[in-house]
Each structure stands twice: as structure tokens, then as C-alpha cells.
Amino acid sequence: MTYTWHPDKMRRGVMTWAGVVLLPLAASGGVLAVCDGLPLTARAFTFLAGLVITLVLGWLAGHRALGTLAAISDLLGALREGDFGMRGRVRPGYDPLQDLVADVNLLSDELREGRRKRTETSRFLGKTLVALGDPVFVIDDEDTLRLINPSARKLIGAERSAVIGQDVTSLGLVEVLAAPDNAVFNWGFPGGRGRWSIRRAAWHSDGREHRLFMLRDLSVALGEEERRAWQRLIRVLSHELNNSLTPIGSLAGSLSTLLAARGVDETREELQVGLEVIERRAASLARFLSGYGKLARLPPLQPRAFRLDRVLARLAMLDRRLPVAIDGTEAVNLCGDEDQLTQAFINLLRNAVEAALPVSGTVRVDWRLEGRYVRVVIEDRGIGLPSSDALFVPYFTTKPEGSGIGLSLTRMIVEAHGGTVELSPMVDASGAVATVRLPLGG
């Protein structure tokens, strides 16, 4: 049963008790006032009887009230000491103070349930931190270590040492924990060296700020990604080198055989043709390697404020092979590397025009502001996208004379500005849509 203490109800109960206690005295006074002819002895007896009964009732009521208040005091003392198991007995009968006992019992039950939930939560958190493979540190507002999991102990070489309560300076964590959220840095700990990312969280407990730091070793993941990148690079290089060197070697061997069999004069024409083929293959190989060098040597950004809408309108007029419609009207002030972004949009516009030319399609450019971002859409009604997920892979191309680095270079430039670039087929017609999303910056 849930009891709720109402002050008005208690006030009415106390007044009722007071009325019952004073009733005999008031009744004897009324009798004396009405019966004027009573002898003095009878009058004295009537008054004393009312007074005695009132005093007895007052003593009984006071004794009961003091007993209830003593029980409430004991219950509150137990709650203050953290003992939520003590309960007061709610006595039967009419007593306005018994609601207080019932409410204190209810408070005790709620506090006990709250402590149970906190204990279960604390145990769950502790087990989670123990099972977590990433190092976790909890620091208070005085830069004192309050919580650490086994992975963090192993990292700082404190598996068998008491470090709770020590300051972060003595633990050598000042520079590490000063890194901003999501920062990536190289650092050597007593338990190992690697490339780490850091995540931070803050909250208040007992009126004090606490900060949680979780480190994640990126070395393994980055090493695996680096290995896959090298494998992809080696596959591409091997494929292209074999495509060039194999025919060069075969042709050189054939020319050498002809030269030995017929002499210079009789094989002059074959030598000329063969050398031209070797020259073309060598030039192709040189362009291939130059393209890789261009991807690897993308210069650092030199951001400055410029009008992106004016750049897009100007680029739309450069390619005279096909009219490019401009749908965007908003002024877009962007902070970025104008030269690199110009090259990125040139690549996308050229691809759109070359896709639309074979079918006499159209190309449209639109842009719109979305909060602190700008979305640029280049839409072509052309031959559509090839069925491949390698559009942004270096040297992947479906054009006979294509280099295969335009889209790769475009994505590198856009991502260097913190943006994204996507290519998708049109939904309602043949063609493709290139979508570039860039932060306004500044």
C-alpha cells in the first residue's frame, strides 16, 4: 500500500485529537454554566472530573504521539546511516502521525530499490570495462585517476600497482589526455607503442566533473588497410607493366631474330615499325607512371574565400562541345582551395559532357545550400554509368583514351576539403548524377 503524507490531513487530525482531549473539560464547564443551583461541592467535583479526564486523555495522546515521533526519529537515523532495512510499525487505530511512519517506510523502500539498481549498474559497468579491450581512464576535476580498466593498467605498466587516486602527471598521461576528441596520434606507452585515437566524455557526479577517456589502437587496422592498399597498387602496377613490357620484349626478340637472319638493309622497314611500337608502349607506360605520381603528389590545400557559384558558371562555358545548363541561382561563399576544387569540377563536367555526346543528351548543373554545407549536382542525360563498383579506383576507365585518374583525383580533392562525392544512375531516365557535398568552412 502506498501512503502519501498530506499536511492538511495531519492538521485536521491533530485538531480532532485536541478536541477529543479537551472535550471532558469543556463538557464540565458547560454543565457548570447551565446548572447555577448546584452546591459548591458538586460544582468542584464536576470541574475536577472534567479536568482529570482531560489530563488523562492528554497524557495518553501525548504518549502515543511521542512514541510515534521516536519511531520516526529512529527510522530517519537509520536512513541517514544507510540502513534501509529498518521499518516502523504502523499501529492500528486513528493516529494522524502514523501516516508519517508509513511514508518513511515507503521512502526506505524506494531508497533500497535505488541502491540496488545503482549497485547492479555499477557491477555491469565494472564487468563491461573489464571485458573491454580498449584502455579506459576516468579522471576527476582535480586530474586524479578515479577508474581504470585492466587494458589501461596493462598499457601504462600498472598491472600490479595501486594507481587509483594518483594524478595524471605522475602516470605520464597529461599530454595524451589533453588531445581533443577523435584525435589520432602516435604515442609510446610502457605497455606498447602505436597509433591511437582518443574518445572523450564528461559528466558530473557528487557535484564534481568526471571525464572518461578511451583509447583505441589503430595500428593493427591501419596496418591491414596499408597492406591491402599495397596489394592493390602492386596488382595495378604489375598488370600495366606486364601489358607494356611483354609486347616490348616479344617485339624486341622478333626484331633481333630478323636482324640476325636478313641483315639491316632487308629489315629496315620492320625495324622502323617495331621501334615505333616500342616507343608508343614506352610513352604509354611513362604516362601511366606519371599519373600515379600525380595522385601521390597532390599539393597541400591553400584555402581562401571564393564564390563557388561563379566558378561553376564559368566552368560550364568552357566545354564548347555541348551546352551546359545552369539551374543554380544561390550565391555560395566557400572557403577552400579554389584551384583544386576547380580541377575536380572540371573532371566531373568533362565526364558528364562525354557521356551525353554519343546520344545527344543534356547536361545540367545545380547547387543549393543545406545549412553549413553546399550540395552541387551535375546531371547528364547520357549513356549512363557502367555496372561496376570500381569507378573511383585509379586507372579504372571505360573510355578508349581515358587515363583513369580523373575520378580518383576528384574524390581525393573533395575528401581533403571534408566533403563527399557520389556517382549514381538516374532514376527516371538514362544518365548519371554526380553529387558533391562540401562544408562552407570559414
Side-chain angles (χ1 to χ4, degrees):
M1 181 178 179
T2 301
Y3 293 89
T4 303
W5 176 47
H6 298 286
D8 292 338
K9 179 181 177 181
M10 181 177 176
R11 189 179 299 110
R12 289 193 300 269
V14 171
M15 292 178 65
T16 301
W17 263 31
V20 172
V21 169
L22 295 176
L23 181 60
L25 184 60
S28 64
V31 171
L32 293 177
V34 173
C35 303
D36 293 334
L38 289 176
L40 181 62
T41 304
R43 295 173 66 85
F45 177 79
T46 301
F47 175 75
L48 289 176
L51 179 62
V52 169
I53 295 174
T54 295
L55 292 176
V56 170
L57 291 177
W59 181 85
L60 292 175
H63 179 74
R64 186 180 178 93
L66 289 176
T68 301
L69 292 176
I72 294 173
S73 177
D74 292 340
L75 290 174
L76 294 177
L79 295 181
R80 188 168 51 249
E81 297 296 329
D83 181 7
F84 304 142
M86 182 179 292
R87 298 180 61 83
R89 184 174 68 87
V90 180
R91 293 178 293 187
Y94 180 76
D95 186 344
L97 296 180
Q98 290 302 296
D99 285 348
L100 284 177
V101 178
D103 284 336
V104 173
N105 288 339
L106 179 61
L107 175 63
S108 178
D109 293 340
E110 292 178 350
L111 292 175
R112 183 171 64 251
E113 181 66 16
R115 182 169 63 180
R116 182 187 65 80
K117 291 181 178 179
R118 289 195 301 272
T119 301
E120 291 177 353
T121 302
S122 178
R123 289 175 180 173
F124 174 75
L125 177 61
K127 291 183 179 295
T128 302
L129 291 179
V130 169
L132 195 62
D134 296 325
V136 175
F137 305 89
V138 175
I139 311 297
D140 64 15
D141 54 0
E142 296 180 352
D143 289 335
T144 301
L145 185 66
R146 291 302 177 191
L147 185 64
I148 184 172
N149 70 338
S151 297
R153 286 183 176 275
K154 183 178 179 180
L155 184 65
I156 64 175
E159 295 176 273
R160 300 183 181 275
S161 304
V163 292
I164 299 297
Q166 294 188 23
D167 60 275
V168 295
T169 303
S170 63
L171 298 175
L173 298 173
V174 175
E175 297 182 14
V176 174
L177 302 185
D181 192 26
N182 286 324
V184 178
F185 57 93
N186 293 304
W187 196 263
F189 294 93
R193 173 177 291 275
R195 193 174 185 188
W196 306 87
S197 70
I198 186 170
R199 296 301 306 270
R200 307 161 62 99
W203 74 95
H204 286 80
S205 177
D206 296 330
R208 305 181 65 177
E209 183 186 38
H210 290 73
R211 291 163 292 160
L212 181 144
F213 302 87
M214 184 173 71
L215 302 179
R216 171 161 292 182
D217 188 1
L218 302 178
S219 302
V220 177
L222 292 176
E224 182 65 22
E225 184 61 29
E226 183 179 3
R227 183 183 65 81
R228 288 196 295 265
W230 275 109
Q231 288 177 342
R232 290 194 296 267
L233 175 61
I234 291 172
R235 282 199 302 269
V236 173
L237 290 176
S238 299
H239 176 74
E240 189 65 24
L241 290 173
N242 285 332
N243 285 347
S244 297
L245 295 180
T246 298
I248 288 176
S250 176
L251 185 57
S254 299
L255 293 177
S256 178
T257 301
L258 288 175
L259 183 61
R262 302 181 187 177
V264 175
D265 294 334
E266 296 183 12
T267 58
R268 185 178 300 277
E269 185 176 351
E270 289 85 348
L271 287 174
Q272 183 67 32
V273 174
L275 290 175
E276 288 177 358
V277 173
I278 291 174
E279 182 183 7
R280 286 197 300 270
R281 295 305 302 172
S284 175
L285 185 59
R287 287 194 301 270
F288 170 80
L289 295 176
S290 174
Y292 252 112
K294 186 183 295 185
L295 286 176
R297 293 193 303 272
L298 190 65
L301 299 180
Q302 297 181 2
R304 63 182 182 86
F306 68 97
R307 286 282 296 274
L308 179 63
D309 56 307
R310 293 176 180 174
V311 170
L312 293 172
R314 185 172 64 250
L315 294 180
M317 296 186 295
L318 290 180
D319 202 320
R320 298 294 183 177
R321 295 173 294 174
L322 192 69
V324 176
I326 299 294
D327 293 339
T329 58
E330 293 182 277
V332 180
N333 294 297
L334 187 70
C335 184
D337 191 313
E338 183 177 357
D339 294 335
Q340 291 193 26
L341 287 173
T342 297
Q343 184 60 51
F345 285 113
I346 286 176
N347 293 337
L348 293 175
L349 282 169
R350 182 186 296 121
N351 285 346
V353 170
E354 292 175 353
L357 276 174
V359 295
S360 301
T362 60
V363 176
R364 312 184 71 86
V365 180
D366 190 11
W367 60 83
R368 63 180 63 90
L369 293 173
E370 298 177 346
R372 298 187 58 82
Y373 288 83
V374 58
R375 181 185 296 274
V376 180
V377 178
I378 301 175
E379 174 187 295
D380 69 81
R381 301 273 178 163
I383 58 177
L385 295 176
S387 56
S388 173
D389 58 355
L391 295 175
F392 292 99
V393 174
Y395 298 99
F396 173 84
T397 181
T398 58
K399 306 173 185 176
E401 302 298 328
S403 65
I405 66 170
L407 287 178
S408 301
L409 192 62
T410 297
R411 185 170 68 172
M412 290 177 63
I413 293 172
V414 172
E415 290 182 349
H417 284 80
T420 59
V421 56
E422 298 177 357
L423 286 176
S424 58
M426 294 194 64
V427 178
D428 57 347
S430 174
V433 179
T435 304
V436 178
R437 191 168 185 263
L438 289 166
L440 297 177

